[in-house]
Amino acid sequence: MNINLRSHMMRPIRAACLGTATVLVTLLACAPVAAAAAEDTASSHAKVHDRVITLFGVLAQQTRFPVNPGGTAAQGDRTAFRSDLFYDEQGKNRVGQTDGTCTTTWVNPKDTNDQAEVCVVTYSLPGGQLTVQGMIFGNLTASPPPSFDNAITGGTGVFDRARGMVHADTIGVGERRFTIDLDN
């Protein structure tokens, strides 16, 4: 069977939905964003260069769209979510929000809690937006949900052409710590 990899890689991002909202609450910080904008005021595309930002996310809204309502997890289950982002763990100094969707792509037939999801998230922050996408693996219904790493695929404003990764760890119910590693 001949597979055209380019056509699979070029599918629109909107075709990939983001799931498990408690798993995806990716965050960015206000002070580093403002500092990044001040680095190059001569350019309308001031960039964030090789920096690490730690943010804290709190799930604000989540809706699940199961393939089998009331049944077990299934391929195609979707979750849409929104989270508030903070610079501090105490939930003061709100700096933005995440909005995303996840779609279940695999469910272990022997353990329906063992799943994989593909997620797409937008981080709206002062000075621009970051787009992030990737896979989440493991027992997605566990408490706490598993940590994950996703790729930064681009951005707008001070995040124009951003690359790097986001690492997320659960720190409480509906709460995550996001370590954003931006490359230039």
Side-chain angles (χ1 to χ4, degrees), residues 21-181:
T22 58
V23 173
L24 279 187
V25 182
T26 311
L27 311 178
L28 279 206
C30 181
V33 172
E39 286 179 12
D40 183 8
T41 55
S43 169
S44 63
H45 294 288
K47 303 233 171 118
V48 178
H49 299 281
D50 293 331
R51 91 174 23 203
V52 175
I53 303 168
T54 301
L55 294 173
F56 298 89
V58 177
L59 182 63
Q61 188 175 12
Q62 174 181 4
T63 304
R64 297 184 188 278
F65 302 94
V67 171
N68 302 317
T72 61
Q75 186 178 39
D77 286 353
R78 292 178 301 136
T79 299
F81 62 91
R82 183 183 73 76
S83 298
D84 291 321
L85 300 176
F86 299 90
Y87 188 62
D88 61 324
E89 193 170 350
Q90 292 73 37
K92 299 175 185 171
N93 302 319
R94 183 179 181 276
V95 296
Q97 70 183 48
T98 63
D99 296 275
T101 60
C102 294
T103 300
T104 301
T105 57
W106 178 78
V107 178
N108 181 342
K110 296 179 183 176
D111 179 3
T112 57
N113 289 324
D114 185 15
Q115 306 169 24
E117 293 183 326
V118 63
C119 300
V120 178
V121 181
T122 299
Y123 299 86
S124 299
L125 303 164
Q129 297 177 346
L130 276 175
T131 56
V132 176
Q133 72 180 63
M135 298 294 295
I136 300 173
F137 299 97
N139 188 342
L140 302 179
T141 60
S143 183
S147 297
F148 61 89
D149 295 309
N150 285 169
I152 296 171
T153 57
T156 64
V158 297
F159 304 108
D160 182 35
R161 298 181 189 157
R163 292 290 182 261
M165 65 173 279
V166 174
H167 176 78
D169 289 308
T170 300
I171 58 172
V173 177
E175 299 177 1
R176 289 223 174 236
R177 176 181 47 247
F178 296 93
T179 304
I180 301 159
D181 186 356

